[in-house]
Amino acid sequence: MGGVQSLRTDLIVVGAGIAGMSAALHASGRRVVMLTKAAFGAGGASPLAQGGVAVALGPMDSPEIHMADTGAAGAGLCHEEVVRVITNEGPARIAELVEWGALFDRRPSGIFQLGREGAHSMDRVAHAMGDATGAELVRTLASAIMRSSRVEILEHHMVVDLLFEWGRVVGVVAITREGRPLVVTAAEVILATGGVGQIFAHTTNPVEATGDGLALAAGVGARSAGLEFVQFHPTALVGPDLPMALLTEALRGEGAVLVDDRGERFMPAEHVLAELAPRDIVARAIAVRRRLGRKVLLDATGLGSLESRFPTVVELCARQGLDPSQDLLPVSPAAHYHMGGVVTDLEGRTSVPGLRACGEVAFTGMHGANRLASNSLLEALVVGARCGEDLAHESHQTPVAVNDGHKHSNFPLADSPWIDDGGNTTVADELRWIMEAGAGVERTQGSLKVAREQLHDLRRRVVPQPGELAHMMRVANLILKAAETRTESRGAHFRADVPWSSRCWLQDLVFEGDLLIPPHVVQPAAAVG
Ligand SMILES: Cc1cc2nc3c(=O)[nH]c(=O)nc-3n(C[C@H](O)[C@H](O)[C@H](O)COP(=O)(O)OP(=O)(O)OC[C@H]3O[C@@H](n4cnc5c(N)ncnc54)[C@H](O)[C@@H]3O)c2cc1C
């Protein structure tokens, strides 16, 4: 293949976050090549997760109650069976992590110390080192991977294309930071590439979250759904840090309150759960005030010293010269989590043979229109493990004949596929502001139409090579189409021009590749809760 280096393996995992590592670890007996854009053990959203993992471990709790809370947050679009399986399997996955050495915070009696977050009716969020849960889980899984001789890790490799032969995905094309192409072929490819937050100007998501997996899957015609549902976290710290520093919801769970610049607390008038209302409601209440030129501040001064319970928050604030036990913290909503993604079953199978997906890139139906706080690490752990286990048990043949000569004539690329390497930063920023203005916390038919026209114009002016910018453009286009089509407000999708929910929209919007499946509404979704 003309000087392009190639590798063959049983299983390719694209992404080294909690979902990808869980899948790789459970695919026993399979040789795995794991590619990540970042350094192994860093990058992606997983190490940034603060609050923890939602799991029914408390004495008064049960998977059924967890399921009901998940369904209530999901606003009628959660898939009942999926929620049942994931909430039921959570405790076993936590036990497995403990076996592998994860150090969760515990009470003096030895039982888990469980936190409370928005829209949970129980203390249910298992955490580690206060608010450094993601880092502890990544450390645990990464150590287990390092002990395994089955997994070959390729750091700083960006997958820019999927190899597609005779209706089946048979491998990937990756580019190194130095611009060298690499072709890897395998019987199965698992996308575990995380979210899309980087297509918005305000986001808590890391630089890697450019929607690559969703765009790659759409490129081979895979089904995706729930794309209009982007969760905006209400309390990102306003300041120069990009991505924006997250002030975990657990702070509000412990009693921190939101005030405006007159010092008035406003959430009790907005929702019976006040600061612990579902995220979309808190985010909108903040966005409305900020649009009117008011500041919104998180007041955690009543919580005493935060060093031991929230060391990450204390450090993130200190970087901006703030002390959360003394200062009010300026906050704004920021794109945080994508409920939508590549449609999969509970073993990560997509609609395209040879292609699986798990973690934030996937749409299992778990989160409906709005994710319940701390349910994403749970889903990544459970579905990642199920996906790996399923592949361990299946006997897959590595395809031998891959006709890739024609496909790689454009590799190596003239420009770097990394946004931060090339001259694409300005275009990416333009795209981010288009999405922020048109498809942010509040959308309207008008704002979405303008955004779509601006994006169309951008795509005519700039035709990017395979890589992050191309992925961002494709994903932005899909999200805008979905948000325009859903003419109601539900969960995280708030249409200011139609601020009500309609029973006829109690269904998923599904795309095949870049096209909405006609009729647009195809998959009845069971409401739980
Ligand atoms: C600040 C923050 C705090 C959060 N707190 C919580 C919390 O407390 N509880 C909770 O449940 N959820 C939380 N979330 C959400 C949760 O962290 C993520 O949904 C979850 O970690 C996603 O895991 P993942 O494995 O799917 O993806 P990620 O952890 O994002 O990993 C994606 C991986 O894919 C790689 N990648 C991407 N594209 C490519 C490509 N083209 N080629 C090669 N590699 C690629 C990246 O390098 C990375 O290794 C938080 C998110 C953020 C941003």
Side-chain angles (χ1 to χ4, degrees):
M1 109 185 19
V4 175
Q5 202 194 336
S6 65
L7 275 179
R8 183 172 298 161
T9 186
D10 297 334
L11 186 58
I12 295 167
V13 178
V14 188
I18 284 174
M21 287 197 285
S22 298
L25 282 168
H26 286 87
S28 34
R30 302 274 140 195
R31 288 174 307 138
V32 178
V33 169
M34 174 178 271
L35 302 104
T36 169
K37 287 201 276 193
F40 182 64
S46 294
L48 303 179
Q50 295 180 2
V53 191
V55 63
L57 292 171
M60 307 296 285
D61 204 0
S62 69
E64 288 71 33
I65 305 175
H66 186 178
M67 207 178 146
D69 289 349
T70 300
L77 288 187
C78 294
H79 293 209
E80 188 170 355
E81 188 49 26
V82 170
V83 181
R84 186 189 318 283
V85 169
I86 293 177
T87 51
N88 271 284
E89 292 188 6
R93 291 301 162 206
I94 296 294
E96 183 179 66
L97 284 168
V98 170
E99 221 171 89
W100 286 341
L103 298 170
F104 284 95
D105 296 331
R106 292 173 186 268
R107 298 200 174 283
S109 62
I111 61 167
F112 279 88
Q113 193 181 352
L114 299 170
R116 173 81 61 108
E117 293 191 3
H120 285 274
S121 62
M122 295 275 162
D123 291 350
R124 178 181 292 138
V125 181
H127 47 84
M129 292 183 289
D131 58 0
T133 314
E136 175 61 5
L137 299 196
V138 167
R139 182 197 65 76
T140 305
L141 295 171
S143 311
I145 292 220
M146 298 300 277
R147 291 194 294 272
S148 156
S149 54
R150 285 188 299 108
V151 185
E152 181 179 353
I153 298 155
L154 300 178
E155 302 176 303
H156 308 294
H157 279 68
M158 180 190 299
V159 170
V160 294
D161 205 1
L162 296 176
L163 297 176
F164 191 63
E165 299 283 338
W166 302 105
R168 186 178 180 89
V169 170
V170 293
V172 302
V173 182
I175 308 280
T176 65
R177 270 280 179 187
E178 298 73 39
R180 272 181 285 109
L182 169 74
V183 168
V184 191
T185 53
E188 293 269 342
V189 174
I190 302 176
L191 297 171
T193 50
V196 305
Q198 283 288 326
I199 66 168
F200 290 90
H202 293 144
T203 184
T204 61
N205 281 196
V207 289
E208 293 83 16
T210 45
D212 298 9
L214 180 52
L216 290 165
V220 292
R223 288 191 173 185
S224 58
L227 303 184
E228 62 277 33
F229 298 114
V230 177
Q231 184 174 82
F232 293 85
H233 197 288
T235 53
L237 183 63
V238 176
D241 275 1
L242 276 179
M244 293 169 83
L246 180 79
L247 301 178
T248 172
E249 191 157 316
L251 284 164
R252 283 173 279 134
E254 301 273 326
V257 294
L258 288 162
V259 295
D260 62 20
D261 42 14
R262 287 177 299 213
E264 278 170 24
R265 199 176 157 204
F266 52 87
M267 277 314 296
E270 299 275 349
H271 194 275
V272 54
L273 291 173
E275 278 81 2
L276 291 180
R279 285 183 177 173
D280 58 301
I281 291 170
V282 185
R284 270 203 309 283
I286 296 174
V288 165
R289 282 160 182 81
R290 283 177 53 84
R291 192 158 24 83
L292 296 173
R294 320 231 41 149
K295 273 192 187 151
V296 175
L297 303 141
L298 184 70
D299 182 355
T301 55
L303 306 190
S305 168
L306 299 173
E307 287 288 348
S308 60
R309 175 68 179 90
F310 298 105
T312 309
V313 166
V314 171
E315 195 207 311
L316 291 169
C317 290
R319 279 194 217 158
Q320 299 194 22
L322 294 165
D323 173 356
S325 60
Q326 308 271 335
D327 301 312
L328 300 186
L329 310 170
V331 292
S332 147
H336 183 61
Y337 183 81
H338 197 199
M339 274 70 74
V342 186
V343 174
T344 73
D345 64 11
L346 278 161
E347 281 76 41
R349 283 183 204 87
T350 71
S351 59
V352 174
L355 185 66
R356 302 215 182 193
C358 56
E360 189 167 339
V361 67
F363 170 95
T364 59
M366 168 80 177
H367 308 295
N370 205 4
R371 173 187 68 124
L372 184 67
S374 290
N375 262 356
S376 42
L377 293 184
L378 173 70
E379 185 199 38
L381 285 167
V382 170
V383 181
R386 290 176 70 100
C387 178
E389 274 167 7
D390 187 63
L391 290 167
H393 296 145
E394 279 186 26
S395 71
H396 294 275
Q397 298 295 316
T398 302
V400 275
V402 177
N403 171 22
D404 46 11
H406 64 283
K407 247 198 116 163
H408 307 301
S409 49
N410 54 345
F411 296 103
L413 302 171
D415 293 334
S416 166
W418 267 272
I419 286 171
D420 61 5
D421 256 6
N424 285 329
T425 323
T426 324
V427 184
D429 278 345
E430 197 176 333
L431 170 74
R432 291 177 176 124
W433 282 108
I434 290 173
M435 292 302 285
E436 187 77 32
V441 177
E442 292 187 326
R443 300 115 182 234
T444 63
Q445 189 69 32
S447 76
L448 291 161
K449 183 165 175 283
V450 169
R452 201 163 38 79
E453 286 165 1
Q454 290 172 332
L455 179 62
H456 183 68
D457 179 53
L458 191 66
R459 291 172 99 188
R460 266 194 307 127
R461 279 190 283 126
V462 184
V463 182
Q465 291 190 343
E468 288 179 329
L469 185 61
H471 296 150
M472 289 167 75
M473 285 183 170
R474 184 169 223 154
V475 165
N477 185 48
L478 287 168
I479 290 176
L480 290 174
K481 270 194 210 169
E484 247 187 306
T485 307
R486 186 175 284 278
T487 48
E488 65 155 0
S489 292
R490 183 179 297 279
H493 171 67
F494 184 76
R495 287 275 302 254
D497 51 340
V498 244
W500 52 81
S501 302
S502 307
R503 281 202 67 76
C504 66
W505 277 113
L506 265 176
Q507 311 200 38
D508 298 323
L509 271 173
V510 182
F511 286 80
E512 204 159 75
D514 296 303
L515 298 174
L516 264 175
I517 297 181
H520 297 334
V521 177
V522 293
Q523 187 179 340
V528 295

